[in-house]
Amino acid sequence: MAELRSRRSNLAVPGSNPRFLEKAKGLPADQVFLDLEDACAPLAKPGARKNIVAALNEGGWGEKIRTVRVNDWTTEWTYRDVIEVVEGAGADLDCIMLPKVVDASQVAALDLLLTQIEKANGLEVGRIGIEAQIETAQGLINVNDIAFASPRIETIIFGPADFMASINMKSLVVGALHPDYPGDPFHYILMQILMAARARGVQAIDGPFLQVRDVDAFREVAKRSAVLGFDGKWVLHPGQIDAANEIYAPSQEDYDHAELILDAYDWYTSEAGGKKGSAMLGDEMIDEASRKMALVIAGKGRAAGMSRSSAFTPPEG
């Protein structure tokens, strides 16, 4: 698996709006996805492709992951989206996001098209990743196959609005709990996506919360997928970015503790530490399972650019 890249906040930017494309460069989102799908009216899509190519080539994105969401394979726009964007700005592009994925063949088709474009244009074959968006009942049923459909897969994403329509869910509030349901109606869906992503060794991303001015409600929704282990969430408004960056990163206390576990376990299993398989770190027993859990938290903290505020000191004697 490639080194973890932080995707706590995934900012949607309409490709048809040059002003928004320029503004997005200066926002603190981990990833931006420049949208050719739902954010663009049909008549605006050809112009949006050109806007996106120009914005990518101009640079100024810093360390952000740069993704373009193309239209889904059932439309007449997909192949031209991919060809124009990758031929025009492939060297400045990290991923293509494919919406409404229903089976592995759709991912394989995108992989093949990307490979042809890369070969024809002298680009490194396989460098551009694929982000697969699960937005239908059929896509969820096939999510395991989708996750393993291509070595390019980097994320599996939940698309709640189309998914709610797909299963005839009785709600118009996207991504929120429903007062008539005694629990989280999205829990099963999120766990299926998370299991597929983790089995494949890639990241799981939660979808958007459409009440963009209600940041407190966004935080509550985001916490539910973050506690399950999701790596990040879509943000539709700059006001949601800071909340996502905070919620999908470890707390400073948890990050420090994870790093201490890793250092302590490394020392205790060494010759100097007595070659112990388990040991005490304060009042806590640590072992190989502790190390694996600590690696997850430490990895997320490192990817988010966090710094330690404590250090492990081996016991004397």
Side-chain angles (χ1 to χ4, degrees), residues 43-174:
L43 294 177
K45 293 182 191 293
R49 294 181 191 129
K50 294 178 173 57
N51 294 341
I52 287 172
V53 168
L56 288 170
N57 286 333
E58 285 165 7
W61 298 97
E63 297 299 314
K64 295 178 180 64
I65 299 171
R66 301 152 299 175
T67 296
V68 173
R69 180 166 74 160
V70 298
N71 288 275
D72 79 89
W73 276 124
T74 67
T75 73
E76 67 268 38
W77 302 298
T78 317
Y79 80 101
R80 194 164 291 282
D81 289 344
V82 179
I83 291 170
E84 287 194 24
V85 168
V86 180
E87 285 191 345
D92 297 301
L93 176 68
D94 294 304
C95 292
I96 292 290
M97 184 186 299
L98 186 64
K100 300 177 179 64
V101 180
V102 298
D103 59 39
S105 68
Q106 294 187 327
V107 175
L110 177 57
D111 186 325
L112 182 60
L113 180 55
L114 285 171
T115 297
Q116 292 178 330
I117 298 169
E118 288 165 340
K119 288 180 177 178
N121 291 272
L123 299 169
E124 179 186 344
V125 175
R127 186 192 62 80
I128 296 172
I130 293 175
E131 304 195 15
Q133 196 174 4
I134 305 301
E135 302 185 75
T136 64
Q138 186 180 358
L140 189 68
I141 288 171
N142 293 324
V143 68
N144 294 335
D145 291 337
I146 290 167
F148 285 86
S150 164
R152 296 181 188 264
I153 290 283
E154 292 192 20
T155 69
I156 308 295
I157 305 164
F158 177 40
D162 281 284
F163 199 98
M164 291 164 69
S166 166
I167 63 172
N168 296 345
M169 186 176 281
K170 187 182 176 183
S171 176
L172 289 173
V173 182
V174 175

Side-chain angles (χ1 to χ4, degrees), residues 85-286:
V85 168
V86 180
E87 285 191 345
D92 297 301
L93 176 68
D94 294 304
C95 292
I96 292 290
M97 184 186 299
L98 186 64
K100 300 177 179 64
V101 180
V102 298
D103 59 39
S105 68
Q106 294 187 327
V107 175
L110 177 57
D111 186 325
L112 182 60
L113 180 55
L114 285 171
T115 297
Q116 292 178 330
I117 298 169
E118 288 165 340
K119 288 180 177 178
N121 291 272
L123 299 169
E124 179 186 344
V125 175
R127 186 192 62 80
I128 296 172
I130 293 175
E131 304 195 15
Q133 196 174 4
I134 305 301
E135 302 185 75
T136 64
Q138 186 180 358
L140 189 68
I141 288 171
N142 293 324
V143 68
N144 294 335
D145 291 337
I146 290 167
F148 285 86
S150 164
R152 296 181 188 264
I153 290 283
E154 292 192 20
T155 69
I156 308 295
I157 305 164
F158 177 40
D162 281 284
F163 199 98
M164 291 164 69
S166 166
I167 63 172
N168 296 345
M169 186 176 281
K170 187 182 176 183
S171 176
L172 289 173
V173 182
V174 175
L177 298 182
H178 196 287
D180 295 336
Y181 187 81
D184 183 347
F186 301 103
H187 181 78
Y188 171 80
I189 304 163
L190 291 172
M191 286 302 291
Q192 287 284 94
I193 289 171
L194 183 63
M195 292 304 102
R198 292 300 180 252
R200 172 62 176 76
V202 298
Q203 291 178 309
I205 305 297
D206 195 7
F209 181 72
L210 270 57
Q211 314 301 314
V212 295
R213 300 191 188 282
D214 192 343
V215 178
D216 288 339
F218 172 87
R219 295 178 70 91
E220 290 306 308
V221 171
K223 286 176 183 177
R224 296 206 305 274
S225 62
V227 77
L228 294 177
F230 271 67
D231 298 285
K233 187 172 177 68
W234 277 15
V235 291
L236 303 182
H237 186 275
Q240 297 176 330
I241 295 174
D242 286 344
N245 285 345
E246 175 194 334
I247 290 165
Y248 289 95
S251 67
Q252 185 66 48
E253 181 181 4
D254 285 349
Y255 173 64
D256 284 338
H257 188 55
E259 294 284 17
L260 282 174
I261 289 173
L262 293 175
D263 286 351
Y265 187 76
D266 186 55
W267 187 81
Y268 279 115
T269 55
S270 71
E271 189 78 38
K275 299 181 287 188
K276 298 175 181 176
S278 61
M280 296 300 293
L281 179 62
D283 294 330
E284 175 186 12
M285 190 192 81
I286 61 171

Side-chain angles (χ1 to χ4, degrees), residues 3-4 6 250 255 258-259 262-263 294-295 297-306 308:
E3 183 179 350
L4 181 70
S6 189
Y255 173 64
E259 294 284 17
L262 293 175
D263 286 351
L295 274 175
I297 304 301
K300 289 189 176 187
R302 293 169 189 171
M306 298 178 71
R308 299 178 63 167

